[in-house]
Amino acid sequence: MTTKSGFTLMSIQEFETWIDALRLARTILTIQEHHTFSPAYPQFNGGNHFALQQGMKSYHVTHNGWSDIGQHFSTFPDGSIMTGRSLETSPACIVGQNAHAICIENLGNFDTGKDAMTAAQRDTIIRITAKLCSRFHLLVNTNSIVYHHWFDLSTGERNNGTKNNKTCPGTGFFGGNKVADCVANFLPLVALAGGPVAPVADTAAILKYVSVTASSLNIRTKPDATSTKVTDRAAATMGAILRVYKESNGWYKISGSQEHWVLAKYTTEVKRATVKADTLNARNGPGKDFEKLGSYTKGQELFIVKEENGWCKVNMDDRWVSKDFLAFTN
């Protein structure tokens, strides 16, 4: 494991140990699969991992105007993995779909006839996806694991690749980039590698979910503003969904196993819900006469921050959905 310029390079075995020990405040619902397209295999020489990652960061910051590199992880042809932006921050990878997501950029151009994925990278992509599913209690399905190709480039609406889509993560990515390809060729490998296919119960009961309203929210070792900040996790950022396990004097305990506390007044309570319609339209106001901004698919999980006249506002998005088509889980 090697760290340079704020990035850490590791093997898949090192990653599996590292992610198990990681403390993360942000709730994760989705894993995104991408390919870099450029840089691709011809630019990789076996030893320039950091240079390529820094190049991607520079492009994302200077050309796209983002605050950091877009992805959380990059995988390389030799099977290694490199960290990117903080996991406490949402990625900048799919318009309208980045909240509660982890983004994996797989270095290469995996469109048919381009880069032939190495066995080492193939194994790493399967194992990192399985490990993230296991670590964050995500079922191995096409709501938890998504391809960039399934979303409209302009609106972020999920259309499963029917209009205005990138080919990402590649028309040759594990047999294709369609939903059916993912179900037939990729998900079984992820499940075989240890990704859960049935719900996994948390070891501690979650009282509720809250969304961070401050730009940065310190996490402390006791429910007291004079206590020390924790050293094994970063501060929570605005919009992050935190799990609350205990309340004490205006403080929330956000870990089921550690004494990690945040000041409640810098959060707002949200409700977790699952879409029960095949397609649920999202609008820019609480009513069917407001403009449609996109849609959500059956089984997709949302966090609701506000209710008004039978409509629900999705956390951190200026999008509203009808309450009639939601099943609440808390």
Side-chain angles (χ1 to χ4, degrees), residues 76-127:
F76 291 86
D78 61 357
S80 59
I81 298 168
M82 186 172 288
T83 60
R85 67 167 54 194
S86 168
L87 279 170
E88 290 293 2
T89 305
S90 295
C93 295
I94 302 178
V95 172
Q97 298 289 334
N98 292 313
H100 328 303
I102 288 177
C103 172
I104 303 171
E105 284 280 0
N106 301 298
L107 189 137
N109 179 353
F110 299 121
D111 283 339
T112 302
K114 301 301 182 179
D115 296 334
M117 187 184 293
T118 64
Q121 189 172 21
R122 175 184 171 88
D123 180 62
T124 286
I125 293 170
I126 295 167
R127 288 173 63 179

Side-chain angles (χ1 to χ4, degrees), residues 141-152:
N141 60 37
T142 55
N143 284 315
S144 299
I145 300 168
V146 300
Y147 292 178
H148 194 179
H149 176 63
W150 302 347
F151 301 91
D152 184 287

Side-chain angles (χ1 to χ4, degrees), residues 7-318:
F7 304 125
T8 298
L9 182 68
M10 61 189 97
S11 67
I12 181 59
Q13 294 84 359
E14 290 171 328
F15 170 82
E16 289 168 337
T17 300
W18 175 83
I19 197 71
D20 274 339
L22 182 73
R23 303 296 177 188
L24 187 64
R26 190 168 67 102
T27 299
I28 303 301
L29 297 180
T30 310
I31 300 167
Q32 303 174 359
E33 298 286 354
H34 301 257
H35 71 167
T36 58
F37 186 81
S38 177
Y41 274 34
Q43 286 74 52
F44 179 68
N45 64 19
N48 61 339
H49 308 74
F50 287 101
L52 291 173
Q53 188 84 334
Q54 185 60 54
M56 284 187 277
K57 177 179 178 178
S58 296
Y59 184 85
H60 291 170
V61 172
T62 60
H63 184 270
N64 295 351
W66 300 343
S67 62
D68 199 351
I69 192 170
Q71 67 263 33
H72 294 110
F73 301 107
S74 300
T75 74
F76 291 86
D78 61 357
S80 59
I81 298 168
M82 186 172 288
T83 60
R85 67 167 54 194
S86 168
L87 279 170
E88 290 293 2
T89 305
S90 295
C93 295
I94 302 178
V95 172
Q97 298 289 334
N98 292 313
H100 328 303
I102 288 177
C103 172
I104 303 171
E105 284 280 0
N106 301 298
L107 189 137
N109 179 353
F110 299 121
D111 283 339
T112 302
K114 301 301 182 179
D115 296 334
M117 187 184 293
T118 64
Q121 189 172 21
R122 175 184 171 88
D123 180 62
T124 286
I125 293 170
I126 295 167
R127 288 173 63 179
I128 188 176
T129 305
K131 189 62 181 179
L132 290 171
C133 284
S134 175
R135 173 66 177 78
F136 297 110
H137 306 296
L138 304 179
L139 297 183
V140 177
N141 60 37
T142 55
N143 284 315
S144 299
I145 300 168
V146 300
Y147 292 178
H148 194 179
H149 176 63
W150 302 347
F151 301 91
D152 184 287
L153 281 175
S154 301
T155 66
E157 180 176 5
R158 181 163 177 172
N159 59 24
N160 292 335
T162 57
K163 182 181 179 181
N164 193 31
N165 307 92
K166 280 189 173 183
T167 62
C168 180
T171 55
F173 184 81
F174 288 86
N177 60 2
K178 303 300 184 185
V179 174
D181 299 322
C182 179
V183 171
N185 304 318
F186 187 56
L187 297 190
L189 298 174
V190 175
L192 190 63
V197 295
V200 179
D202 286 334
T203 56
I206 298 173
L207 295 181
K208 59 184 175 182
Y209 295 90
V210 296
S211 176
V212 176
T213 57
S215 58
S216 180
L217 181 57
N218 291 326
I219 303 171
R220 299 189 179 274
T221 55
K222 295 178 182 179
D224 185 333
T226 62
S227 64
T228 57
K229 300 176 187 177
V230 301
T231 57
D232 58 347
R233 69 197 305 175
T237 57
M238 182 177 288
I241 301 296
L242 311 181
R243 300 165 298 281
V244 176
Y245 295 91
K246 186 177 179 181
E247 299 181 51
S248 178
N249 298 321
W251 289 77
Y252 290 148
K253 184 173 182 282
I254 63 168
S255 171
S257 59
Q258 304 290 317
E259 290 297 316
H260 290 175
W261 296 82
V262 297
L263 193 55
K265 72 176 183 179
Y266 295 117
T267 69
T268 186
E269 188 169 350
V270 297
K271 294 181 179 179
R272 187 169 181 168
T274 303
V275 176
K276 58 184 183 181
D278 289 337
T279 301
L280 177 58
N281 290 330
R283 301 186 181 276
N284 66 354
K288 64 180 181 180
D289 294 329
F290 285 89
E291 179 185 358
K292 179 184 172 183
L293 298 178
S295 63
Y296 301 104
T297 56
K298 190 173 184 176
Q300 190 167 353
E301 291 189 284
L302 307 174
F303 286 103
I304 304 302
V305 68
K306 183 179 180 181
E307 295 184 31
E308 184 177 323
N309 298 324
W311 288 76
C312 297
K313 185 178 181 181
V314 180
N315 182 59
M316 291 301 290
D317 291 327
D318 192 18

